[in-house]
Amino acid sequence: MLKPGIFLSPVLGAFCRVAWYNNPMAKVDAIVLAGGTINDPEFKAAAGVDCKSLLILNGKPMAHWVVQALESAESIRSVVVVGPEELRNALDGATVLVEGCHEVENLTKGMDAMPDAERILMVSGDMPLLSPRAIDDFVFNSPEADIVYPTIDKPAIMAEFPDRKWIFIRAKEGEFTGSSAVMFRPEVLRLHMDAMRKVLDARRSVGALVQMWGIGFALKFALGQLSLKDAENRISEVLNVNGRAYVSPYPELAFDVDHASDIRTAEDRLSRLSPA
């Protein structure tokens, strides 16, 4: 059965690489979307919190590890976190904005807090294994476009996380999974906020996604007959932006804490990484 997340990940994934570099080593600003509530009862019970970003891993809330990675990366100039009020005390010294009712509203809040940003890297607050090396590679090596989305191929993922269940998308170039990160030009995103809202609202419905991208595109996608370039072109056309995908060699970009089993994986990895 085709799951909506499977369909959207390469669609956004193939929908992204960014057109902006006068200086390819220029720093970018970052927004951490750290709000929302946990809906899965099993996961919520294991986490012991309503919001994932407040989940304690290795003695710190999960959002702490995300912010720490961003602040340690050479490519990041400033970081803004959008999430629940409790994060203001949990993330000492970080700029935290209280979340609104919708992801687009939260993204807008983050952009408003950095009006001079030329490029913004958006990441979710449930990526505790995010590393400075993965961030710098993505920011400094992404191709030109209005929006760039990182994707990671199956061999890289399975070499690092062989015991975790993953969802991979078949393309002509191989099998890939997506990330909860994206880099974009804020002025372009502001012009297409309605389209972005439709994408975010439709991502849990196969029917809505098929209606948005077209039945022909959807069928080719489901059968693995699309190349990344095909997907980039179609999504750029529908959304009227220059979108590209960046194939990252860093599997930590794909790891987010979505299930109870991910908590143990994250804690084990952080306990090994923290001393270094």
Side-chain angles (χ1 to χ4, degrees), residues 155-170:
I157 291 290
M158 298 311 294
E160 189 70 19
F161 301 103
D163 299 324
R164 187 179 190 264
K165 291 184 178 180
W166 294 92
I167 296 174
F168 292 101
I169 310 342
R170 285 187 299 125

Side-chain angles (χ1 to χ4, degrees), residues 96-147:
V96 178
L97 307 176
V98 178
E99 65 182 321
C101 298
H102 194 281
E103 290 157 303
V104 170
E105 180 183 350
N106 294 339
L107 188 55
T108 301
K109 283 189 173 190
M111 289 192 294
D112 290 344
M114 41 186 64
D116 61 339
E118 295 183 8
R119 293 180 294 161
I120 291 177
L121 172 65
M122 184 203 77
V123 302
S124 67
D126 62 351
M127 301 171 65
L129 302 185
L130 189 64
S131 67
R133 64 176 188 173
I135 296 165
D136 288 339
D137 174 77
F138 179 44
V139 172
F140 289 145
N141 295 319
S142 289
E144 296 185 4
D146 295 322
I147 299 177

Side-chain angles (χ1 to χ4, degrees), residues 147-216:
I147 299 177
V148 186
Y149 181 84
T151 186
I152 303 90
D153 66 13
K154 185 175 181 178
I157 291 290
M158 298 311 294
E160 189 70 19
F161 301 103
D163 299 324
R164 187 179 190 264
K165 291 184 178 180
W166 294 92
I167 296 174
F168 292 101
I169 310 342
R170 285 187 299 125
K172 288 183 178 179
E173 296 89 342
E175 294 184 76
F176 301 89
T177 194
S179 171
S180 294
V182 65
M183 188 161 58
F184 59 89
R185 284 181 179 271
E187 70 272 18
V188 172
L189 200 63
R190 288 183 187 277
L191 289 174
H192 300 283
M193 275 299 186
D194 288 342
M196 180 58 67
R197 184 181 291 270
K198 289 178 181 178
V199 169
L200 291 172
D201 289 343
R203 71 187 187 277
R204 296 182 179 89
S205 167
V206 173
L209 289 166
V210 169
Q211 184 178 11
M212 179 176 292
W213 307 121
I215 186 65

Side-chain angles (χ1 to χ4, degrees), residues 230-247:
D230 292 335
E232 287 175 348
N233 290 340
R234 177 57 179 163
I235 293 155
S236 296
E237 176 186 358
V238 170
L239 298 180
N240 195 29
V241 299
N242 178 16
R244 303 284 296 280
Y246 176 68
V247 180

